[in-house]
Amino acid sequence: MAVHDHTHRHLGFRFRSLRRSGTAPASADASTAAATATSAYVFAGLRLLTGFVFLWAFLDKTFGFGYATQSGNGWIDGGSPTEGFLGHVAVGPMESTFHDWAGAAWADWLFMLGLLGIGLALIAGIGLRLAAVAGTAMMALMWIAEWPPAKHLSDGSASMSTNPFADYHLIYAVVLIALAAAGAGATWGLGKAWARLPLVSRNRWLL
Protein backbone atom coordinates (compact mmCIF):
# COMPACT_ATOMS: atom_id res chain seq x y z
CA MET A 1 0.00 0.00 0.00
CA ALA A 2 2.84 2.36 0.86
CA VAL A 3 4.62 1.56 -2.43
CA HIS A 4 1.43 2.27 -4.38
CA ASP A 5 1.05 5.68 -2.82
CA HIS A 6 4.67 6.54 -3.63
CA THR A 7 4.21 5.56 -7.28
CA HIS A 8 1.07 7.65 -7.60
CA ARG A 9 2.77 10.73 -6.29
CA HIS A 10 5.74 10.22 -8.65
CA LEU A 11 3.48 9.95 -11.71
CA GLY A 12 1.55 13.01 -10.69
CA PHE A 13 4.72 15.05 -10.35
CA ARG A 14 6.02 14.05 -13.79
CA PHE A 15 2.65 14.78 -15.41
CA ARG A 16 2.67 18.35 -14.12
CA SER A 17 6.26 18.81 -15.30
CA LEU A 18 5.35 17.70 -18.80
CA ARG A 19 2.50 20.19 -18.92
CA ARG A 20 4.78 23.04 -17.98
CA SER A 21 7.40 22.10 -20.56
CA GLY A 22 4.72 21.86 -23.25
CA THR A 23 3.05 25.20 -22.62
CA ALA A 24 6.11 27.38 -21.97
CA PRO A 25 7.45 27.31 -25.55
CA ALA A 26 3.98 28.04 -26.92
CA SER A 27 3.67 31.05 -24.63
CA ALA A 28 7.16 32.24 -25.58
CA ASP A 29 6.37 31.85 -29.29
CA ALA A 30 3.18 33.87 -28.88
CA SER A 31 5.07 36.63 -27.06
CA THR A 32 7.75 36.71 -29.75
CA ALA A 33 5.14 36.87 -32.51
CA ALA A 34 3.34 39.71 -30.76
CA ALA A 35 6.58 41.65 -30.30
CA THR A 36 7.50 41.13 -33.96
CA ALA A 37 4.10 42.35 -35.12
CA THR A 38 4.31 45.39 -32.86
CA SER A 39 7.77 46.23 -34.21
CA ALA A 40 6.49 45.94 -37.78
CA TYR A 41 3.66 48.38 -37.07
CA VAL A 42 5.98 50.81 -35.31
CA PHE A 43 8.42 50.81 -38.23
CA ALA A 44 5.55 51.17 -40.69
CA GLY A 45 4.22 54.19 -38.83
CA LEU A 46 7.69 55.72 -38.67
CA ARG A 47 8.10 55.11 -42.41
CA LEU A 48 4.85 56.86 -43.27
CA LEU A 49 5.56 59.85 -41.05
CA THR A 50 9.07 60.25 -42.42
CA GLY A 51 7.76 59.90 -45.97
CA PHE A 52 5.24 62.65 -45.34
CA VAL A 53 8.04 64.94 -44.11
CA PHE A 54 9.89 64.58 -47.43
CA LEU A 55 6.77 64.65 -49.59
CA TRP A 56 5.36 67.72 -47.85
CA ALA A 57 8.67 69.55 -48.26
CA PHE A 58 8.44 68.89 -52.00
CA LEU A 59 4.82 70.04 -52.23
CA ASP A 60 5.32 73.18 -50.14
CA LYS A 61 8.42 74.23 -52.08
CA THR A 62 6.67 73.52 -55.38
CA PHE A 63 3.35 75.27 -54.78
CA GLY A 64 4.13 77.69 -51.95
CA PHE A 65 1.50 76.66 -49.42
CA GLY A 66 2.62 79.34 -46.99
CA TYR A 67 4.56 77.21 -44.54
CA ALA A 68 8.30 77.13 -45.21
CA THR A 69 7.62 78.62 -48.66
CA GLN A 70 5.40 81.69 -48.88
CA SER A 71 2.53 81.84 -51.35
CA GLY A 72 3.73 83.10 -54.72
CA ASN A 73 7.32 81.98 -54.10
CA GLY A 74 6.84 78.35 -55.08
CA TRP A 75 8.87 76.56 -57.70
CA ILE A 76 6.03 76.82 -60.21
CA ASP A 77 5.97 80.58 -59.61
CA GLY A 78 9.62 80.93 -60.60
CA GLY A 79 11.09 80.64 -57.13
CA SER A 80 14.19 78.57 -56.41
CA PRO A 81 13.95 75.74 -53.87
CA THR A 82 17.69 75.96 -53.11
CA GLU A 83 18.49 79.66 -53.28
CA GLY A 84 17.05 80.57 -49.90
CA PHE A 85 18.79 77.80 -47.97
CA LEU A 86 22.10 77.50 -49.77
CA GLY A 87 22.40 81.22 -50.38
CA HIS A 88 22.31 81.89 -46.63
CA VAL A 89 24.90 79.31 -45.59
CA ALA A 90 27.22 81.26 -43.31
CA VAL A 91 29.55 78.66 -41.86
CA GLY A 92 31.40 75.45 -42.67
CA PRO A 93 34.02 74.19 -45.11
CA MET A 94 31.65 74.30 -48.13
CA GLU A 95 30.21 77.77 -47.56
CA SER A 96 31.45 79.27 -50.84
CA THR A 97 30.57 76.10 -52.77
CA PHE A 98 26.99 76.17 -51.52
CA HIS A 99 26.74 79.84 -52.51
CA ASP A 100 27.77 78.87 -56.03
CA TRP A 101 25.15 76.12 -56.13
CA ALA A 102 22.33 78.28 -54.76
CA GLY A 103 19.62 78.85 -57.36
CA ALA A 104 21.30 76.76 -60.06
CA ALA A 105 18.76 74.92 -62.20
CA TRP A 106 20.55 71.57 -61.82
CA ALA A 107 20.63 71.98 -58.02
CA ASP A 108 16.92 72.85 -57.91
CA TRP A 109 15.94 69.83 -60.02
CA LEU A 110 18.21 67.42 -58.18
CA PHE A 111 16.99 68.60 -54.78
CA MET A 112 13.30 68.51 -55.69
CA LEU A 113 13.48 65.14 -57.43
CA GLY A 114 15.26 63.81 -54.37
CA LEU A 115 12.53 65.06 -52.04
CA LEU A 116 9.80 63.65 -54.29
CA GLY A 117 11.48 60.30 -54.89
CA ILE A 118 12.34 59.70 -51.24
CA GLY A 119 8.88 60.79 -50.10
CA LEU A 120 7.03 58.55 -52.56
CA ALA A 121 9.31 55.57 -51.88
CA LEU A 122 8.70 55.82 -48.14
CA ILE A 123 4.94 56.32 -48.46
CA ALA A 124 4.62 53.37 -50.85
CA GLY A 125 7.12 51.20 -48.99
CA ILE A 126 9.22 50.41 -52.07
CA GLY A 127 12.82 51.13 -53.01
CA LEU A 128 13.75 51.80 -49.40
CA ARG A 129 17.42 51.01 -49.96
CA LEU A 130 17.69 53.59 -52.73
CA ALA A 131 15.74 56.06 -50.60
CA ALA A 132 18.13 55.46 -47.71
CA VAL A 133 21.20 56.11 -49.88
CA ALA A 134 19.75 59.21 -51.53
CA GLY A 135 18.31 60.54 -48.30
CA THR A 136 21.53 60.00 -46.36
CA ALA A 137 23.50 61.88 -49.04
CA MET A 138 21.00 64.74 -48.95
CA MET A 139 21.01 64.90 -45.14
CA ALA A 140 24.81 64.83 -45.09
CA LEU A 141 25.00 67.85 -47.41
CA MET A 142 22.43 69.74 -45.36
CA TRP A 143 24.33 68.85 -42.17
CA ILE A 144 27.50 70.31 -43.70
CA ALA A 145 25.56 73.41 -44.78
CA GLU A 146 24.46 74.07 -41.20
CA TRP A 147 27.76 72.80 -39.73
CA PRO A 148 26.71 72.09 -36.12
CA PRO A 149 30.32 71.90 -34.77
CA ALA A 150 30.76 75.66 -35.25
CA LYS A 151 30.07 77.93 -32.27
CA HIS A 152 30.32 81.05 -34.44
CA LEU A 153 29.38 81.96 -38.00
CA SER A 154 31.78 83.42 -40.54
CA ASP A 155 30.92 86.96 -39.41
CA GLY A 156 31.70 86.12 -35.79
CA SER A 157 28.13 85.98 -34.54
CA ALA A 158 26.89 83.04 -32.49
CA SER A 159 25.82 80.06 -34.58
CA MET A 160 23.14 79.04 -32.07
CA SER A 161 24.11 75.42 -32.58
CA THR A 162 22.75 73.28 -29.76
CA ASN A 163 24.90 70.20 -30.37
CA PRO A 164 28.32 69.82 -32.02
CA PHE A 165 27.34 66.64 -33.86
CA ALA A 166 23.79 65.31 -33.56
CA ASP A 167 21.04 67.32 -35.23
CA TYR A 168 17.81 66.44 -37.02
CA HIS A 169 19.57 65.79 -40.34
CA LEU A 170 21.62 63.04 -38.72
CA ILE A 171 18.49 61.60 -37.08
CA TYR A 172 16.66 61.48 -40.42
CA ALA A 173 19.60 59.71 -42.03
CA VAL A 174 19.69 57.06 -39.31
CA VAL A 175 15.91 56.60 -39.56
CA LEU A 176 16.13 56.06 -43.33
CA ILE A 177 18.86 53.45 -42.90
CA ALA A 178 16.91 51.70 -40.14
CA LEU A 179 13.74 51.55 -42.24
CA ALA A 180 15.61 50.00 -45.15
CA ALA A 181 17.41 47.50 -42.91
CA ALA A 182 14.14 46.47 -41.23
CA GLY A 183 12.28 46.01 -44.52
CA ALA A 184 9.64 48.40 -43.24
CA GLY A 185 7.75 48.49 -46.54
CA ALA A 186 6.15 45.09 -45.99
CA THR A 187 3.62 46.42 -43.45
CA TRP A 188 1.12 49.07 -44.60
CA GLY A 189 3.03 49.29 -47.85
CA LEU A 190 3.73 47.64 -51.20
CA GLY A 191 7.04 46.16 -50.11
CA LYS A 192 6.02 42.50 -50.48
CA ALA A 193 4.53 42.95 -53.96
CA TRP A 194 7.53 45.07 -54.99
CA ALA A 195 9.97 42.37 -53.84
CA ARG A 196 8.21 39.75 -56.00
CA LEU A 197 8.72 41.69 -59.22
CA PRO A 198 11.22 39.88 -61.53
CA LEU A 199 13.41 42.98 -61.90
CA VAL A 200 13.61 43.48 -58.14
CA SER A 201 14.17 39.77 -57.52
CA ARG A 202 17.23 39.91 -59.78
CA ASN A 203 18.50 43.20 -58.36
CA ARG A 204 18.08 43.14 -54.58
CA TRP A 205 19.49 46.64 -54.24
CA LEU A 206 16.16 47.87 -55.57
CA LEU A 207 14.33 46.66 -52.45
Side-chain angles (χ1 to χ4, degrees), residues 116-129:
L116 179 62
I118 295 168
L120 290 178
L122 291 174
I123 294 294
I126 62 176
L128 296 185
R129 294 183 181 180

Side-chain angles (χ1 to χ4, degrees), residues 36-105:
T36 300
T38 300
S39 298
Y41 291 131
V42 169
F43 274 109
L46 180 61
R47 190 197 83 236
L48 292 172
L49 286 174
T50 307
F52 183 69
V53 169
F54 282 89
L55 187 58
W56 177 259
F58 168 81
L59 294 173
D60 186 51
K61 292 179 184 299
T62 299
F63 301 105
F65 289 146
Y67 287 86
T69 305
Q70 295 302 310
S71 178
N73 293 334
W75 197 21
I76 62 171
D77 300 311
S80 170
T82 61
E83 186 173 6
F85 179 69
L86 295 181
H88 289 85
V89 172
V91 68
M94 293 183 64
E95 179 180 351
S96 60
T97 300
F98 286 135
H99 289 171
D100 293 337
W101 292 357

